[in-house]
Structures are given as structure tokens and as C-alpha cells.
Amino acid sequence: MKTLSQDQFKRSLNVSTNLFGVDETDYYVRKYGISLESECSIDTRIPIHIETEFFERSAKRIGDPVFGLTWVDFSCKFADSGVIERGKVCIDVYDTVIQGCRLLPYVSESILYKLVPYDSHHSKLIAHLDESCIYHQVDAALLLWITITRDEYSQRTIEPNRRDPDFVEVHLSHSCPVGYRSKYADAYQTDLKFNQELSGIVISNQFLNSRLRVELDSIKRAVQMEIALSDIKHGKRNLADAIYRSLLAMAPYSMPTREEIANHFNMSLRTLQRKLAESNTNFKEIADKTRRDKAFELMNRDVYSVSEITHLLGYSDLSAFNKAYNRWILSNS
């Protein structure tokens, strides 16, 4: 059964309260027997059909054929802060999109995302909808992607005077409600195509490769989220995976020491070493795997020079990086 986090659903209810002036928490608590009173973490889950009912019920309440767009007007301040914080430690727009594709299913599995090539100059962020989804949900999801990404870009671009094309088309699998095309155009601020086979967003590769300023203050929050997600993924903490994901969150800016990682996980260095040894690994191996995977990812994109990658991964000079790279190639072969 596909689910969403209760925390995300509480945000939707906050939007509802702002829109209608009515708190509908009791309605959903009574109907589905869920608890929404206390603080919910991302691993507290409810079925996604509850989210679908929320959108359908809310749209009917105010007779709004484009409720998904209306919802975004009120929802940005309630958007999942953990996913946004994780994005703030990404070095370019491409990385923020890839992290969003990876992380958003933990928020809600109603829509799964994948970035694929579209043509020689563009990529497409495809939205795979669960069969229970209604069009209000995909309208809201794609508009939220565009709104937050544009906002992050405007705040964190290292070239504020550069004006790259960004989102060049939005594809929607449903038809346009009669009389509302201009509403969609005003909301998305880009070209629109309705009745498409797959919903999604066509993005300029030039925009995807745009460099972003990293907000180092967000690293701790990003690491905390990776730890929480590792708990969800494995049912209980897989320490090696959690450390690997945490290092990836920090990899382009600093490679923390074993002592710093132990502190992040609230354990002594000796305990950290013992637990990793029980999994037949150690901190040095995980750190090396992190650098290797990040190096291969950046080199495969053919956007960053070897000198830039050397600097991003914290190597002292090009010779040190080349030595590590040759070792990785030999071990892979």
C-alpha cells in the first residue's frame, strides 16, 4: 500500500484552514482513526487515498476546477522543509532535481518522479501518477516543483545577472478545464500542453547545469534527514548506509572526520567503529566510496572540469585525485 507522511498531510490541513477558515482535522481523525495531534516525523505514514480525498473534497467545497493551483498559492510556506533543506546543500540545479526525485516519495508516494533526456537541449521531469491520483494533485505537484526551484535559484545562483531559460514546457495528462487556460498560464509562467501521455516538466539543460551557492548552515539538517530516511528504508538504522548518505550530503564541500560523524549519530567513536566492523566495513571505506560515486557522477555529466571535481571533493591537488581515480577504475574492472 502506498503512503504519505502524516507530517505532509498536516501541512495540507494547515492550507485548508487558511483557505476555508475551518480546521478539518477532526473529520479525518474520526473517519480514518489517525492521530494528528502530536508532532509527526516523516516515518509516520497514512494511506495516500486520504490525500486524494482531501484534494477532491476541498475542490468541491469551493467549486474550484483548478484547486491544485489555488492550493500552491497557500502551501509554499508549508512545503516540506526537510526536502528543501536537503536541496540547499546541492551544488547546481540538476542535483536539486535529482535529490527531489529521490526524497519526495518519502513525503508522498502519490507521484513518483524521474528525470530523463528529452532532446539534445532539454530533459523532462516525468511525473508517474498513482492510479488513485486526481488531476488537482498533479497540478499542485508540478507547480510546487517550479515555484520552489525558481525561488531557490533566485536566492542561491552564483550568477545573478545570467538569465537562462528554465522550465520551457509543462505537460499535463488531463484536459484543460473550460475557461481556465489563462489561469494555468499565469500560474506556471511557461508553455503548456494538455492531454499528454505523461505529465511532467521539460527543463532546459542549460538551467539544470546552473551552479548554486551552497548554504553550509543547512548541512546539519540535511544529514539529520538522511539519517531519518535510512531508518525508514531499512526498518531500523543501517548505519553504513546512513553514513554514506550523510557524507554524500556534505561531499562537495567538506569530508568530515570520523569523530564528527560519530557526533552526528550521537555515539562515541569506539561505538561507531565497532558497529561498522560488525557490518564488515569502516569509515575510511565509506568515505572513499562516497568520493568515488560523487566523482563518477560529476564526470559523467561532462559539466565540471577535472580541476573543479578535484577541488569539490577536497583533494589537495590534481595528482592526489588522479591517484584515487586510477585506483577506482582498477577496482571496478
Side-chain angles (χ1 to χ4, degrees):
M1 178 180 65
K2 293 184 178 180
T3 61
L4 75 151
S5 72
Q6 281 196 23
D7 195 38
Q8 171 65 13
F9 189 61
K10 286 179 69 174
R11 292 188 180 95
S12 289
L13 290 176
N14 285 335
V15 173
S16 177
T17 302
N18 277 267
L19 272 171
F20 312 130
V22 176
D23 185 352
E24 293 199 298
T25 300
D26 286 346
Y27 168 81
Y28 291 99
V29 168
R30 289 196 306 270
K31 183 171 182 178
Y32 294 105
I34 56 178
S35 174
L36 298 170
E37 295 301 320
S38 59
E39 284 293 320
C40 300
S41 64
I42 197 169
D43 60 338
T44 310
R45 317 295 294 179
I46 60 175
I48 59 172
H49 66 78
I50 299 178
E51 180 183 54
T52 300
E53 179 179 343
F54 165 80
F55 273 90
E56 192 168 34
R57 177 180 167 87
S58 299
K60 288 180 179 178
R61 176 190 285 268
I62 58 175
D64 187 358
V66 291
F67 175 73
L69 308 184
T70 305
W71 181 84
V72 172
D73 287 340
F74 288 82
S75 68
C76 279
K77 64 181 178 180
F78 299 113
D80 187 272
S81 58
V83 175
I84 294 175
E85 287 294 311
R86 180 62 179 86
K88 290 181 184 296
V89 299
C90 293
I91 57 177
D92 53 36
V93 176
Y94 173 88
D95 199 21
T96 64
V97 173
I98 292 299
Q99 294 304 327
C101 292
R102 181 174 69 87
L103 296 175
L104 285 174
Y106 291 102
V107 178
S108 174
E109 294 179 304
S110 59
I111 304 175
L112 304 180
Y113 303 94
K114 185 177 183 180
L115 187 68
V116 300
Y118 186 69
D119 59 33
S120 58
H121 298 292
H122 303 90
S123 299
K124 183 174 180 179
L125 179 66
I126 295 177
H128 294 282
L129 315 182
D130 182 78
E131 60 184 12
S132 69
C133 271
I134 58 176
Y135 77 90
H136 298 300
Q137 288 167 277
V138 72
D139 284 354
L142 296 185
L143 182 54
L144 204 57
W145 264 99
I146 290 176
T147 302
I148 292 175
T149 305
R150 281 176 172 161
D151 185 54
E152 284 296 303
Y153 176 78
S154 68
Q155 293 180 34
R156 296 171 47 220
T157 177
I158 62 175
E159 299 177 279
N161 296 322
R162 182 174 171 178
R163 292 292 181 266
D164 292 330
D166 52 15
F167 302 100
V168 298
E169 281 182 352
V170 171
H171 295 174
L172 296 167
S173 56
H174 62 82
S175 58
C176 180
V178 176
Y180 282 88
R181 179 173 284 274
S182 62
K183 175 76 171 179
Y184 277 92
D186 290 342
Y188 287 109
Q189 293 291 302
T190 192
D191 292 338
L192 294 157
K193 289 185 177 180
F194 292 91
N195 300 308
Q196 300 297 296
E197 182 179 356
L198 291 172
S199 294
I201 310 169
V202 179
I203 312 173
S204 160
N205 289 340
Q206 190 176 11
F207 178 65
L208 286 172
N209 293 331
S210 298
R211 313 291 176 87
L212 299 175
R213 173 178 47 82
V214 172
E215 296 195 0
L216 298 179
D217 291 344
S218 296
I219 287 181
K220 183 175 181 180
R221 178 73 178 92
V223 170
Q224 290 171 342
M225 184 169 193
E226 294 295 351
I227 294 171
L229 294 184
S230 182
D231 290 349
I232 297 170
K233 179 180 178 182
H234 298 283
K236 59 180 181 179
R237 176 172 299 172
N238 180 304
L239 185 61
D241 180 76
I243 291 175
Y244 170 74
R245 292 294 175 187
S246 299
L247 292 180
L248 275 181
M250 297 182 267
Y253 335 105
S254 63
M255 187 60 68
T257 64
R258 293 175 300 174
E259 290 79 8
E260 289 171 325
I261 284 294
N263 184 57
H264 272 300
F265 284 82
N266 297 314
M267 62 179 68
S268 68
L269 177 58
R270 177 174 292 184
T271 300
L272 176 75
Q273 292 171 321
R274 176 176 56 79
K275 287 182 175 293
L276 290 178
E278 291 171 357
S279 299
N280 298 314
T281 189
N282 57 60
F283 180 80
K284 183 178 179 181
E285 287 181 355
I286 298 172
D288 189 63
K289 180 178 185 294
T290 303
R291 281 197 172 106
R292 180 199 68 191
D293 291 352
K294 197 66 181 179
F296 286 171
E297 174 199 319
L298 294 173
M299 295 183 80
N300 287 338
R301 287 180 56 196
D302 199 25
V303 173
Y304 293 86
S305 69
V306 175
S307 295
E308 286 178 304
I309 295 172
T310 299
H311 172 71
L312 285 170
L313 295 182
Y315 286 95
S316 57
D317 53 41
L318 190 57
S319 175
F321 173 75
N322 284 336
K323 183 178 179 180
Y325 181 77
N326 290 332
R327 175 168 51 80
W328 296 330
I329 293 296
L330 287 173
S331 64
N332 276 359
S333 61

